[in-house]
Amino acid sequence: MASQIFERIAQHAPFHDEGHGFDVFGLEPHRLARTVEATAAVYERYFRVASTGAHHIPATGPAIVVANHGGALPVDAAMLCVDILRRSDPPRIPRAIADHFVPRLPLVSTLFARLGVVSGTRANVRRLLERGELIALWPEGVMGPGKPYRDRYRLAGWRVGFAELAIRYGAAVVPAAIVGAEESWPVVAKVSRARAFGAPFLPIPATPIPLPTRYHIHYGAPLRLGGDADDPDVVAAAAGEAQRELERLLAEALAARRSVFR
Amino acid sequence: MVVGAPAPLGVAIVRALLATPGIEHVLGVGIETDAGLPEDPRVDYRAVDLTHPRALHDLVWGDAKDARIDTVVHCMQHRRGSDRGRRIHAQNVEATRGLVVACREHPTIARIVYRSFAEVYGSTHTTSDLLDEDAALDFGPTAPQWVRDRVEADLTVCAQLGGRVAIAVLRCAEVFAADTGSQLWDYLQSRVCFRPLGFDPMINVLSLDDAARAFAAAAACTATGVFNIPGADTLPLSRAIAASRRAGVPIPGPAMTPLYALRRWIAGFDFRYDLNLRRFHFGGVLDGTRARTELGYAPARHVAWP
């Protein structure tokens, strides 16, 4: 199974090679494939990820997967990306969009770049969509991991920029509800004064490592957002449409699961 | 007229121009008395110090007018990153300003192609990995003179856009070859190359042939504005070190500046870490879409690693 995953990612997923085995953002498919292989047990056995609706991920063309966000560190983002890598057909490499402070983090910035993560500047996202790539982003931004436990699965600080770009570049928006992540590694406190490397806060998790909650990922049908991308009302309405669809998916997924660990 | 003709890039541009159909005459200009330009009856050379306003005026309104020069390619910037002072500023900025102003009302000169640099962009953790022509410039008050001069000269030329003379500003990726002033080339001359621990940014370098081709294409067309000129090699810094068969050793970032200052002081190398600090942390690759669509330039030749 592991070698199939490697072959799927390293050899069959489309990739814009700049001539040395990397794309312009630093993605290295072989490194990505090896990492996914090496962490297969986390996906399969620790979090036991169950996924439905991956057929909604468009096979080609620009697309944006928008998901809820929670937990001390972006484990949910990693599991979503691994799930897309494993289940999209034909295989597509999701380009996770990270906050601006990530490029300042030693080691992490380089590792993330090799795995396909891109800093969330407007020009970066625009270029990815122009190339017809699949983007994964979390419109809650850093507000998601900073949510108190009582607010789990309530979307916080929903940003609208993705909707504007989706309209402008004709990108399909695929909502993805991630259930299990927001109980896995709850944050008990935020240290706002510790702005190391520009991060808005330092999360203090309740447990040293994430709890082995079961992840359920539900992809919704792709939304085609239309209208005038320069009109703030149109963009806000489009972002709201995606938010409501994601909330509906989250409610369904929460109602369907039997317990946090099953 | 190729200003800065004796430099490796200038020589390559002269060669590329001579290979371009329709070029009748190339007037090379530089400070050096011996230019080393190709032997060709269409090539002339003048040794002129453009920091002297009279000499500059006489060149533009004398030799250039007599030779019916219609296009000026300006690529004469001081190359050594460790030099600084008023004399360097005069060559980088004042001579550029004087040349552009002198060409403004000239009877035969209708086009200027100016060589600018990718280093004019202020690469930080908030800027894009891919820098287009609208990316922010580096106006940092603590930027080294090498950068400040280049930003000022770039803007001096850009201020003349839209006038009678058609201007193309080519913001080139680092031309990676010996004697071109390439910081990376100098950096890779040591057997052991230190790099900041935890960072391995994407870099882009331009071959001399591609750079010359871009200038020849810009000289031959009528497109105006700013154009990014990327090279064919985009790779992580660690891979560039490996391609040069050097040993890359990650060390804490704060140790890089004093270490390379010591190297410069003891062995006379030119590489300055403060000039490359941002690039060695955050990278930044030029987006050449505009050059491809309007100049017909696309990078094709890989660099030769030392």
Side-chain angles (χ1 to χ4, degrees):
Chain A
M1 181 63 184
S3 62
Q4 281 178 357
I5 294 168
F6 184 90
E7 194 176 315
R8 187 178 154 78
I9 298 168
Q11 290 169 21
H12 297 302
F15 155 65
H16 292 86
D17 190 354
E18 290 289 329
H20 291 269
F22 299 82
D23 84 347
V24 75
F25 299 101
L27 165 66
E28 186 185 12
H30 279 76
R31 176 87 61 97
L32 174 63
R34 282 198 298 270
T35 305
V36 172
E37 260 187 345
T39 57
V42 177
Y43 175 89
E44 292 168 3
R45 296 187 191 146
Y46 194 79
F47 292 120
R48 309 171 307 283
V49 179
S51 165
T52 57
H55 63 277
H56 289 309
I57 298 167
T60 57
I64 303 175
V65 175
V66 294
N68 54 307
H69 206 7
L73 290 175
V75 181
D76 54 347
M79 289 302 111
L80 177 67
C81 289
V82 171
D83 193 64
I84 293 170
L85 283 163
R86 283 167 163 253
R87 295 182 191 275
S88 54
D89 187 28
R92 297 190 74 177
I93 297 176
R95 309 307 300 265
I97 304 300
D99 212 295
H100 293 314
F101 68 85
V102 170
R104 291 179 66 182
L105 302 173
L107 301 173
V108 174
S109 57
T110 301
L111 175 67
F112 275 19
R114 298 293 171 269
L115 302 183
V117 178
V118 176
S119 176
T121 68
R122 189 180 174 77
N124 279 348
V125 178
R126 191 193 73 208
R127 173 46 63 105
L128 289 168
L129 292 176
E130 282 173 351
R131 288 177 165 196
E133 297 218 30
L134 173 68
I135 286 173
L137 57 80
W138 293 262
E140 293 174 270
V142 291
M143 295 293 285
K147 278 186 292 196
Y149 184 70
R150 64 176 176 277
D151 289 339
R152 62 193 182 281
Y153 303 115
R154 289 185 195 157
L155 301 180
W158 192 255
R159 298 178 188 172
V160 302
F162 78 91
E164 184 206 327
L165 289 165
I167 296 170
R168 202 176 292 283
Y169 293 98
V173 174
V174 180
I178 307 172
V179 167
E182 302 198 20
E183 291 100 350
S184 173
W185 214 1
V187 173
V188 292
K190 293 187 291 183
V191 183
S192 299
R193 288 184 183 173
R195 286 180 169 264
F197 301 105
F201 57 83
L202 183 68
I204 308 295
T207 54
I209 60 168
L211 298 172
T213 58
R214 184 163 197 195
Y215 273 47
H216 299 264
I217 299 175
H218 291 242
Y219 299 94
L223 305 171
R224 290 284 174 188
L225 306 178
D228 181 359
D230 291 317
D231 186 333
D233 294 334
V234 169
V235 170
E241 185 185 342
Q243 180 178 359
R244 282 190 298 279
E245 183 58 18
L246 180 55
E247 284 169 340
R248 189 189 64 75
L249 277 172
L250 275 170
E252 276 182 14
L254 285 166
R257 77 170 170 175
R258 285 177 288 174
S259 82
V260 170
F261 295 98
R262 295 178 67 191
Chain B
M1 182 162 82
V2 178
V3 180
L9 176 59
V11 173
I13 292 171
V14 170
R15 286 186 200 283
L17 288 173
L18 291 174
T20 305
I23 301 289
E24 295 170 9
H25 183 214
V26 177
L27 176 63
V29 176
I31 300 173
E32 297 86 341
T33 48
D34 181 20
L37 294 178
E39 294 284 335
D40 190 295
R42 292 176 292 167
V43 177
D44 276 327
Y45 178 72
R46 299 286 182 276
V48 180
D49 184 354
L50 296 184
T51 60
H52 294 162
R54 173 51 55 191
L56 191 152
H57 180 271
D58 290 351
L59 170 73
V60 174
W61 289 88
D63 291 322
K65 186 178 163 201
D66 295 344
R68 304 193 59 76
I69 295 293
D70 58 3
T71 302
V72 174
V73 175
H74 179 24
C75 59
M76 190 170 75
Q77 290 87 5
H78 190 77
R79 281 171 270 165
R80 278 186 64 83
S82 50
D83 294 345
R84 55 187 168 186
R86 292 177 64 177
R87 172 82 190 153
I88 308 300
H89 181 78
Q91 181 180 338
N92 288 336
V93 181
E94 300 307 332
T96 300
R97 192 194 323 275
L99 183 65
V100 174
V101 169
C103 293
R104 221 164 34 189
E105 304 300 330
H106 196 274
T108 64
I109 294 171
R111 183 161 181 76
I112 296 174
V113 179
Y114 173 70
R115 188 254 177 123
S116 186
F117 298 79
E119 287 81 357
V120 300
Y121 293 117
S123 180
T124 71
H125 64 286
T126 58
T127 54
S128 297
D129 298 76
L130 207 53
L131 301 164
D132 64 15
E133 288 82 357
D134 296 326
L137 303 187
D138 187 356
F139 290 107
T142 57
Q145 181 185 341
W146 194 90
V147 173
R148 279 186 284 119
D149 277 1
R150 278 156 174 72
V151 173
E152 186 177 351
D154 181 291
L155 291 178
T156 298
V157 179
C158 286
Q160 303 294 329
L161 284 166
R164 188 194 64 81
V165 178
I167 296 175
V169 175
L170 307 192
R171 290 180 183 157
C172 301
E174 181 165 333
V175 176
F176 187 76
D179 301 325
T180 55
S182 166
Q183 285 279 303
L184 198 63
W185 179 275
D186 189 90
Y187 169 75
L188 291 172
Q189 295 311 301
S190 299
R191 287 179 182 278
V192 176
C193 298
F194 298 106
R195 61 183 181 84
L197 179 68
F199 294 94
D200 192 14
M202 297 299 288
I203 57 167
N204 177 261
V205 283
L206 178 62
S207 67
L208 213 46
D209 286 349
D210 272 353
R213 221 162 36 79
F215 278 93
C221 75
T222 56
T224 62
V226 180
F227 302 90
N228 286 341
I229 306 296
D233 290 281
T234 302
L235 69 174
L237 178 62
S238 62
R239 289 296 175 101
I241 294 170
S244 307
R245 292 189 290 277
R246 306 294 191 242
V249 178
I251 62 169
M256 292 282 288
T257 299
L259 206 61
Y260 276 99
L262 196 66
R263 174 184 183 257
R264 199 168 65 242
W265 184 61
I266 291 173
F269 284 102
D270 191 39
F271 178 80
R272 290 176 56 175
Y273 186 63
D274 60 339
L275 274 182
N276 295 278
L277 188 147
R278 288 178 170 186
R279 179 167 66 150
F280 275 28
H281 278 81
F282 307 120
V285 174
L286 296 181
D287 178 358
T289 306
R290 190 154 184 239
R292 188 169 60 246
T293 53
E294 295 190 35
L295 301 181
Y297 164 80
R301 293 289 294 271
H302 291 281
V303 300
W305 298 102

